[in-house]
Amino acid sequence: MKKFSLVEFSVNHPRLVVILTLIVTLAFATQFPKVRTDTNPKNMLPATSDVRVWNDGVEKTFALYEDTIVLGIVNERGVLNKETLEKIKRITGEILELKGVAARDVSSFTTIDNVTVDGGMLNVGPLMTSVPETEEETDKLGKTLFENPLFIDRIISRDGKTAAIYVPLEDGSNGKEVADSIRGIVSEEKGDERFYIAGDPVARDTFGNEMFKLMAIFAPIAGMVMLLVRYLMFRDLFLSVTLMMDAMISIVWSMGLLIGLGFPIHVMSSMAPVFLMAIATDSMHIYNEFYFRYRENKDRKAAIIETMKAVSRPVRNTALATAAGFAVLMFMQIIPVKVFGGLVAFGTISLRVLSFSFIPAMFMFVKEEKIDRIARSEDIGSDRTARFLRKLAGFGIHRPGTTVAVGLLLFAVAVFGITKIRVNNNLVEWFKKGSDVRVADSVINRNLGGTSLGYVVASAEGDEYMKTPEAMRYMEGLQRHLEKLPVVGKTTSVVDYVKRINRVLHDDDPKYDVVPDTKEAIGQYLFLFAMSAKPSDLDNVVDYPFQKANIWVQLKTWDAQAMREVINAVEQYKKANPTPMELKPSGIAYFNLVWNDEVLWDMVKGFILALIVVFCILALDFRSFKWAVIGYTPLLFTILLLYGVVGFVGKDFDMPISVLSCLSLGMAVDFAIHFVSRLRQRLKETAGSEPLGDALLWTAGRPGKGIMRNAVLFAASFAVMIFAPLTPYITVGAFIVCMMMLSAIMTIIYLPALITLTRGWLFKGDMQ
Amino acid sequence: MKTLMTVAAALGVMLMASTSFAASAEEVMKKSQAAFLYQGKDFKVRVTMRLVSKSGQERIREMTMLRKNFGEPGGEQKYFIYFHKPADVKDMTFMVYKYPGRDADRWLFVPAINMVKRIAAQDKHSSFVGSDFSYEDVSGRKVEDDTHTLTKEEKLGNRDCYVIKSVPRAGDMDYAYKLSWIAKDDMLPLKEEYYDKRSGLYKVFTADETKVVKGFPTVTKRTMKNLQSGHGTYVTYTDADYDAGIPDSLFSERYLRQPPRKWVE
């Protein structure tokens, strides 16, 4: 066997192999200085994707900004007082000076256009040019604010306690940096006011930033925990470090390759090191078996070679299964998902190459007496872990019916749980409750129209249509319809301007707060408005030829589903009220919906494909369809149970969870492969002299210990993540801890039970 | 003592030199304004404005502009504007009384509801009919509102120019300072660059074509580009005429409602 010779070569030339490994590692490490990062989750979809092209087009047509930060100013005594208004003016002034801010379109009391009439004189201009000095002036400002529906719920709350400043960002500026600058500005202010900074760019860029920090903190901590747990298991620092190096080397290789190929490190690929560290724990089986063998044999070299002979097949095949599980991701649509899949697959293969070369070579450097000491403690009969595992397996062997019945019951419950799963994604909820981002968002969403922004773009066949009374009335009706949704806080369109001007021109008579009857009047009103207002006021809501109009829909939640509700409501309205106009969703809220759907379903598709591929590998590996079915069962069962719990707990099935499904598959299958391979090997070795029950007990006690060690090690390192400040990491940590423990236990209990129950079928025509 | 006197004298000379320099820069700006906005007794022109967005969308504004001087250059003026395009604003008219030293009066006639409305004076730097020109760019800014210095003299194309830096005296302007290239021969501005504190150059005016009409050099094509928003406005003057004898009575509410064909066709 070719692999076998690699092991022999490695134990015969340990020094050469170690040096060669280090040279290759150094070569990959030289790529590291070229590293580029991309923290923007938006880039999960390429710039050429339909939704991004469409959104970019809409942004261009309506001179919109991709990203806007919202600054909320709350004063429990009301914001309409001289001090607070002075602060608003001062803060706005300073924000206008910030780099990255599209100053010309910042909306605040001092910059937003207002249309009023005073003593027969029409006034179009900024709402507040100077801070009111007297009470009458303040009252007048209040009246102006509250009589204009364009302002309520946008820059002032109905109760007058919250004001807002909208800060659009120039393309390519970093939301977190601008948000930090704004934090700096408001921290200078003293008084009763509280300030809240929210908006998609803040959440997104803060998350990207935190994520990289977390990876830099948690990957090493996870590594240290693994090192510690290993040390506790084997009491040998040298070998523990060797195992650690194994993981590190594969990380350097795969990250080096990624960087060398010119890919930026993305949200997803930044998770690869932790994944690889976890996958590296599979080499635990080599150690596990080595000590047993050494105890029996006392010859280091021979023990290594024998060990590798015994475990090579399962180790090779688990690697293959894991690699395949991730490699299928390379056939998905989304580039970062592809890159991630390829990256982890490559890392897994590297790990296995190291398992057959570097690790055996390193064993040659360990002092014999040390191995001897450790090996003495590895006795299948006296060892407490082994005894416990045998007991577990014994339960499965002696009460297979009960075990399987309980399993079926759990299965039914899990399936019911899965039906309750809600597919959703909410970027803001990736932050913990009580975090700045989350608090700011909920305060602003409670008091104002909403921080998440979607658009409904109406397009007509020909130019000028948007100026017609029927187009105007249609949009007005649609707005009222959308505002009935609880997730919608406010809608704004060109209609609101037209109605406002109509009323103001007629001396503020509320009777005229309606769409005028002729196209000429509408055209002239808009022209009049555009004569003095900021160009962006109208540009944001109608295109130049008046062929398209843009309805702003402010949402009170970042739930991806909220935009789906809006889209459904639009469809519903259109069905009830036919129109020649086409109505299409756009905006950041729409992007989040599409992004969420595409990434998520891509992962789900990948998962299903991986399920099939892994099954095929199992079948090939065991050279038996029946054994593959048996080996597959605990794995599938574990995954079903976990997702059942997800459904019951009411945790949204979001992106992090969907990413995990692939990992869980790749990892859980390992245990089954080890168990089944070693069991069948044992049966072959003993050639029928040992009853099946005893062979199962032996498998549970010896390779089973390796499985348990693997699971504990894996779980321990991921448990660290439960203390992370971002919820996706907590989810990942908790999920993996549960998954590892559960799948290890499932393997130890259910495989013996199933094998005992189906022995007739399984062994029919087989060796027995 | 003697040295002190010399230093004082030298300082005095320098001070005088710089003030006279400043005065001459202000002179240049006054002359330029007279040449640019106050030529003749009155002025009539057909103006076509092409408003082009960053993405290439276009809006057309077409109007007849009538202007009459009521005093010296820099003094009172009246404007009467009749809109031809876009189609739905046809017959809309707009009238401005411009006074030195105080806010202008403005009226607008909205034909669809047959109503003349006074429009409050406001930000002089707000956009004129949605273009990149501000009201001030169209009707002129009081020369004394800025401090002017002659920074250099140079050729622009093949024409000798003064390059004048103008810094607003009050801090509420859009720009921190403006550089103007004033042609030495006809005193018309050939180029203006607007700078703000944050991002430097953000708006550029260019005079693209000059024709002599009845002996008065007149800028007949001009462009204003906003570098921040990517928006640009291209203006063409046709049928320009000076001293056409526009009557004072034209600038009244009555004619605002019913503009005489003779003047607005």
Side-chain angles (χ1 to χ4, degrees), chain A residues 98 101 122 124 467 524 544, chain B residues 88 112 118 120 122 198 231:
Chain A
L98 290 179
V101 168
L122 185 75
V124 183
K467 288 184 194 164
Q524 289 169 19
Y544 272 32
Chain B
D88 47 18
R118 281 234 7 228
Q122 46 176 292
R198 204 168 54 119
H231 200 278

Side-chain angles (χ1 to χ4, degrees), chain A residues 60-62 95-104 117 120-126 129 170-171 464 467 502 504-507 518-525 527-528 530-535 538-539 542-546, chain B residues 51-61 83 85-92 94 105-106 108-123 126-132 135 197-198 226 228-231:
Chain A
K60 261 199 197 124
T61 308
F62 297 105
I95 287 174
L96 293 179
E97 308 271 309
L98 290 179
K99 219 173 132 60
V101 168
R104 61 199 170 276
V117 66
M121 175 115 77
L122 185 75
N123 193 347
V124 183
T129 41
E170 300 280 13
D171 272 359
E464 300 285 304
K467 288 184 194 164
N502 195 19
V504 166
L505 278 179
H506 293 93
D507 294 316
T518 64
K519 181 169 173 267
E520 284 66 36
I522 294 168
Q524 289 169 19
Y525 287 180
F527 190 76
L528 175 162
M531 281 182 76
S532 327
K534 277 189 289 189
L538 278 189
D539 289 351
V542 277
D543 74 341
Y544 272 32
F546 285 90
Chain B
L51 281 49
V52 183
S53 80
K54 193 180 181 177
S55 56
Q57 300 191 77
E58 256 186 53
R59 268 185 194 141
I60 300 289
R61 307 262 181 268
F83 290 99
K85 274 181 191 165
D88 47 18
V89 304
K90 193 167 158 57
D91 293 337
M92 249 178 140
F94 183 51
D105 290 327
R106 299 170 183 169
L108 182 77
F109 172 61
V110 186
I113 49 171
N114 192 25
M115 180 190 282
V116 171
K117 205 85 195 165
R118 281 234 7 228
I119 297 186
Q122 46 176 292
D123 255 359
S126 68
S127 151
F128 174 73
V129 296
S131 74
D132 295 286
Y135 278 89
K197 271 177 276 181
R198 204 168 54 119
N226 187 320
Q228 269 174 5
S229 63
H231 200 278

